[in-house]
Amino acid sequence: MSAITETSDHGHGHHPGLHHQYEDMAQQTESYIVGMWVFLTTEIMFFGALFFIYTLYRWNYQLDFYIAHEHLDWKLGAFNTTVLLFSSFTMVMAVQSAQLKKRIAVMNYLGVTVLCAITFLVVKYFEYSSKFADHLYPGVNFATDAKAAFGEHAFEAGKLAVNMNHAQLFYGLYFCMTGLHAIHIIVGIGIIIALIRLWFNKANSVIHDYVPTEMVGLYWHFVDLVWIFLFPLFYLMPKPH
Amino acid sequence: MASNSSSHTHEHHIVSTGTYLLTLGALVVLMGLTVAIAQVNLPAIGILSGTVVNQLVALLIATIKALLVICVFMGVKWGTTLTKLWVIAGFVTLPLLFGILGDYCTRKYEQQPGWEKIEDGALPRISYENPAKPPADSSELNVKIRQ
């Protein structure tokens, strides 16, 4: 019944962003947000499996993982963490502007978020390049020049002190986990650009209701959330002592 | 028909810019703290070695950061009860998954015929020692060749 009345009485107290299958905006908003969290739950399980594998092998091969991790530059990692945290802030400001119906501000904040995401990927590109240069990707030619890859402290009395299989496992996990995360960043860039386009075109789906913008925000914060754990686990490994 | 309590105000909670800025500041400070703590070797506590203590502290800080992002940036703090329930359900999957570690910790490695454990891992030994020379018999392989 509400569907019939809604279509026939515009401007009669009905929110223009309300879809006909919902009672009111509160119900619609809750459905949207809960739906997004259901998706994020599957993402938690998706990344969770990788974190589990990491935990298991890190526990077993602590020393080898430590030596292998020294090729990573924590300064770049910290820079990228800051960039992502800041992009989460600009994202949340975009949502706030959407609530206040400040269209230009929304587009500006989303634009800055995209720029942060691209900065993150550029840094990641340089990090990956340095790994490729030293053959630190899993495969038959893994770390053919171990001295160049891991430095002097990978050697004890001239003999290699790191088990290459375990080091390879570390870089397998590194590329899987940061790579999957980077794919999420790339997808995020696409979604945010699509959202900017909707705002630019004053699409009904976004200008009357802030929740679609909020849902993109939830996705983006989740990507940030994963990185919050990846950063200490890969870049800040404590020295075995 | 749900309870019509909220007198139909579409007013959603709008969080102030100050709160968001403060959260961002806290997140960056916590990140700096993790980096600082990673540079020092924390002492062992009880049965936990110093390495484990270091790692646990780093993970604790990461968890606090995650909670800040979830509660403030993702707005769960102001969300409905159903939203909160789903958020908790989402993260409950993790301890369930990590429960499998208990199996890895307690189960004895059982030798299976044809899959005996050797020191160097799962790849055939020939690929390391002498790639040119084919194995004379199956004892040179990590795994036994099935008859």
Side-chain angles (χ1 to χ4, degrees), chain A residues 104-139:
Chain A
I104 301 296
V106 173
M107 292 195 295
N108 285 341
Y109 280 123
L110 290 178
V112 176
T113 311
V114 169
L115 286 181
C116 286
I118 292 169
T119 310
F120 179 92
L121 287 178
V122 169
V123 174
K124 208 90 219 110
Y125 165 78
F126 285 112
E127 285 191 89
Y128 277 11
S129 307
S130 82
K131 305 291 167 290
F132 290 146
D134 284 331
H135 283 278
L136 285 180
Y137 47 89

Coordinates of all heavy atoms in Angstrom, one line a residue, chain A residues 104-139:
Chain A
I104 N 29.7 20.2 -3.6 CA 31.1 20.5 -4.1 C 32.1 19.9 -3.1 O 33.1 19.3 -3.4 CB 31.3 22.0 -4.2 CG1 30.3 22.6 -5.2 CG2 32.7 22.3 -4.6 CD1 30.5 22.1 -6.6
A105 N 31.8 20.1 -1.8 CA 32.7 19.6 -0.7 C 32.8 18.1 -0.9 O 33.9 17.5 -0.8 CB 32.2 20.0 0.6
V106 N 31.7 17.4 -1.1 CA 31.7 15.9 -1.3 C 32.7 15.5 -2.4 O 33.6 14.7 -2.2 CB 30.3 15.3 -1.6 CG1 30.4 13.9 -1.9 CG2 29.4 15.6 -0.5
M107 N 32.6 16.2 -3.5 CA 33.4 15.9 -4.7 C 34.9 16.2 -4.4 O 35.8 15.4 -4.7 CB 32.9 16.6 -5.9 CG 31.6 16.1 -6.4 SD 31.2 16.7 -8.1 CE 31.1 18.4 -7.8
N108 N 35.1 17.3 -3.7 CA 36.5 17.6 -3.3 C 37.1 16.6 -2.4 O 38.2 16.1 -2.6 CB 36.6 19.0 -2.6 CG 36.4 20.1 -3.6 OD1 36.6 19.9 -4.8 ND2 36.0 21.3 -3.1
Y109 N 36.4 16.2 -1.4 CA 36.9 15.2 -0.4 C 37.1 13.9 -1.1 O 38.1 13.2 -0.9 CB 36.0 15.1 0.8 CG 36.1 16.2 1.8 CD1 35.1 17.0 2.2 CD2 37.4 16.4 2.4 CE1 35.2 17.9 3.2 CE2 37.6 17.4 3.4 CZ 36.5 18.2 3.8 OH 36.7 19.1 4.7
L110 N 36.2 13.5 -1.9 CA 36.3 12.2 -2.6 C 37.5 12.2 -3.6 O 38.3 11.3 -3.7 CB 35.1 11.8 -3.4 CG 33.8 11.5 -2.6 CD1 32.6 11.2 -3.5 CD2 34.1 10.2 -1.7
G111 N 37.7 13.4 -4.2 CA 38.9 13.6 -5.1 C 40.2 13.4 -4.3 O 41.1 12.7 -4.8
V112 N 40.3 14.0 -3.1 CA 41.5 13.9 -2.3 C 41.7 12.4 -1.9 O 42.8 11.9 -1.9 CB 41.4 14.8 -1.1 CG1 42.6 14.5 -0.2 CG2 41.3 16.2 -1.5
T113 N 40.6 11.7 -1.6 CA 40.7 10.3 -1.3 C 41.3 9.5 -2.4 O 42.2 8.7 -2.2 CB 39.3 9.7 -0.9 OG1 38.7 10.6 0.0 CG2 39.4 8.4 -0.3
V114 N 40.8 9.8 -3.6 CA 41.4 9.1 -4.8 C 42.9 9.4 -4.9 O 43.7 8.5 -5.2 CB 40.6 9.4 -6.1 CG1 41.3 8.9 -7.3 CG2 39.2 8.9 -6.0
L115 N 43.2 10.6 -4.8 CA 44.7 11.0 -4.9 C 45.5 10.2 -3.9 O 46.6 9.7 -4.2 CB 44.8 12.5 -4.7 CG 44.4 13.4 -5.8 CD1 44.6 14.9 -5.5 CD2 45.1 13.0 -7.1
C116 N 45.0 10.1 -2.6 CA 45.7 9.4 -1.6 C 45.9 7.9 -2.0 O 46.9 7.3 -1.9 CB 44.9 9.4 -0.3 SG 45.0 11.0 0.6
A117 N 44.8 7.3 -2.6 CA 44.8 5.9 -3.0 C 45.9 5.8 -4.1 O 46.6 4.8 -4.1 CB 43.5 5.5 -3.5
I118 N 46.0 6.7 -5.0 CA 46.9 6.6 -6.1 C 48.4 6.7 -5.5 O 49.3 6.0 -5.9 CB 46.6 7.6 -7.2 CG1 45.3 7.3 -7.9 CG2 47.8 7.7 -8.2 CD1 44.8 8.3 -8.8
T119 N 48.5 7.7 -4.6 CA 49.8 7.8 -3.9 C 50.3 6.5 -3.3 O 51.4 6.1 -3.4 CB 49.8 8.9 -2.8 OG1 49.2 10.1 -3.4 CG2 51.1 9.2 -2.3
F120 N 49.3 5.9 -2.6 CA 49.6 4.6 -2.0 C 50.1 3.6 -3.0 O 51.1 2.9 -2.8 CB 48.3 4.1 -1.3 CG 48.5 2.7 -0.6 CD1 48.8 2.6 0.7 CD2 48.3 1.5 -1.3 CE1 49.0 1.4 1.3 CE2 48.5 0.3 -0.7 CZ 48.8 0.2 0.6
L121 N 49.4 3.5 -4.2 CA 49.8 2.5 -5.2 C 51.1 2.9 -5.8 O 51.9 1.9 -6.1 CB 48.7 2.5 -6.3 CG 47.4 1.8 -5.9 CD1 46.4 1.9 -7.0 CD2 47.6 0.4 -5.4
V122 N 51.4 4.2 -5.9 CA 52.7 4.5 -6.5 C 53.9 4.1 -5.6 O 54.9 3.4 -6.0 CB 52.8 6.1 -6.7 CG1 54.2 6.5 -7.1 CG2 51.9 6.5 -7.9
V123 N 53.7 4.3 -4.3 CA 54.7 3.8 -3.3 C 54.8 2.3 -3.4 O 55.9 1.7 -3.4 CB 54.4 4.3 -1.9 CG1 55.3 3.7 -0.9 CG2 54.4 5.8 -1.8
K124 N 53.7 1.6 -3.5 CA 53.7 0.2 -3.6 C 54.4 -0.3 -4.8 O 55.1 -1.3 -4.8 CB 52.2 -0.3 -3.6 CG 51.9 -1.6 -3.1 CD 51.6 -1.7 -1.6 CE 52.3 -2.9 -0.9 NZ 53.3 -2.6 -0.1
Y125 N 54.2 0.5 -5.9 CA 54.9 0.1 -7.2 C 56.4 0.1 -6.9 O 57.1 -0.8 -7.4 CB 54.5 1.1 -8.3 CG 55.4 1.1 -9.5 CD1 55.3 0.0 -10.4 CD2 56.5 2.0 -9.6 CE1 56.2 0.0 -11.5 CE2 57.3 1.9 -10.7 CZ 57.2 0.9 -11.6 OH 58.0 0.8 -12.7
F126 N 56.9 1.2 -6.3 CA 58.4 1.2 -6.1 C 58.9 0.1 -5.1 O 59.9 -0.5 -5.3 CB 58.8 2.6 -5.5 CG 58.8 3.7 -6.6 CD1 57.8 4.7 -6.6 CD2 59.7 3.6 -7.6 CE1 57.8 5.6 -7.6 CE2 59.6 4.5 -8.7 CZ 58.7 5.6 -8.6
E127 N 58.0 -0.2 -4.1 CA 58.4 -1.3 -3.2 C 58.4 -2.6 -4.0 O 59.4 -3.4 -3.8 CB 57.3 -1.4 -2.1 CG 57.4 -0.3 -1.1 CD 56.5 -0.7 0.1 OE1 57.0 -1.3 1.0 OE2 55.4 -0.2 0.1
Y128 N 57.4 -2.9 -4.8 CA 57.4 -4.1 -5.5 C 58.6 -4.2 -6.5 O 59.2 -5.2 -6.6 CB 56.1 -4.3 -6.3 CG 54.9 -4.8 -5.5 CD1 55.0 -5.0 -4.1 CD2 53.7 -5.2 -6.1 CE1 53.9 -5.5 -3.4 CE2 52.7 -5.7 -5.4 CZ 52.8 -5.9 -4.0 OH 51.7 -6.4 -3.3
S129 N 58.9 -3.1 -7.1 CA 60.0 -3.1 -8.1 C 61.3 -3.5 -7.4 O 62.1 -4.2 -8.0 CB 60.2 -1.7 -8.7 OG 59.0 -1.2 -9.2
S130 N 61.5 -3.0 -6.2 CA 62.8 -3.3 -5.6 C 62.8 -4.8 -5.2 O 63.9 -5.4 -5.2 CB 63.0 -2.4 -4.3 OG 62.3 -2.9 -3.2
K131 N 61.6 -5.4 -4.9 CA 61.6 -6.8 -4.6 C 61.9 -7.6 -5.9 O 62.7 -8.6 -5.9 CB 60.2 -7.3 -4.1 CG 59.7 -6.5 -2.9 CD 60.5 -6.8 -1.7 CE 60.2 -5.8 -0.6 NZ 60.7 -4.5 -0.8
F132 N 61.3 -7.2 -7.0 CA 61.5 -7.9 -8.3 C 63.0 -7.8 -8.7 O 63.5 -8.7 -9.2 CB 60.6 -7.3 -9.4 CG 59.1 -7.6 -9.2 CD1 58.2 -6.7 -9.6 CD2 58.7 -8.8 -8.6 CE1 56.8 -6.9 -9.4 CE2 57.4 -9.1 -8.5 CZ 56.4 -8.1 -8.8
A133 N 63.6 -6.6 -8.5 CA 65.0 -6.4 -8.9 C 65.9 -7.4 -8.1 O 66.9 -7.9 -8.7 CB 65.4 -5.0 -8.5
D134 N 65.5 -7.8 -6.9 CA 66.4 -8.7 -6.2 C 65.8 -10.1 -6.2 O 66.2 -11.0 -5.4 CB 66.5 -8.3 -4.7 CG 67.4 -7.1 -4.5 OD1 68.4 -7.0 -5.4 OD2 67.3 -6.3 -3.6
H135 N 64.9 -10.4 -7.2 CA 64.4 -11.7 -7.4 C 63.7 -12.2 -6.1 O 63.8 -13.4 -5.8 CB 65.4 -12.7 -7.8 CG 65.8 -12.6 -9.2 ND1 65.1 -13.2 -10.2 CD2 66.9 -11.9 -9.8 CE1 65.7 -12.8 -11.4 NE2 66.7 -12.1 -11.1
L136 N 63.0 -11.4 -5.4 CA 62.3 -11.8 -4.2 C 60.9 -12.2 -4.4 O 60.0 -11.9 -3.6 CB 62.4 -10.7 -3.1 CG 63.8 -10.6 -2.5 CD1 63.8 -9.5 -1.4 CD2 64.2 -11.9 -1.9
Y137 N 60.6 -12.8 -5.5 CA 59.2 -13.3 -5.7 C 59.3 -14.9 -5.8 O 60.3 -15.4 -6.3 CB 58.6 -12.8 -7.0 CG 59.5 -12.8 -8.2 CD1 59.5 -13.9 -9.0 CD2 60.3 -11.7 -8.5 CE1 60.3 -13.9 -10.1 CE2 61.1 -11.8 -9.6 CZ 61.1 -12.9 -10.4 OH 61.9 -12.9 -11.5
P138 N 58.3 -15.5 -5.3 CA 58.4 -17.0 -5.2 C 58.6 -17.6 -6.6 O 58.0 -17.1 -7.6 CB 57.1 -17.4 -4.6 CG 56.6 -16.2 -3.9 CD 57.1 -15.0 -4.7
G139 N 59.4 -18.6 -6.7 CA 59.7 -19.2 -8.0 C 61.1 -19.9 -8.0 O 61.8 -19.8 -7.0

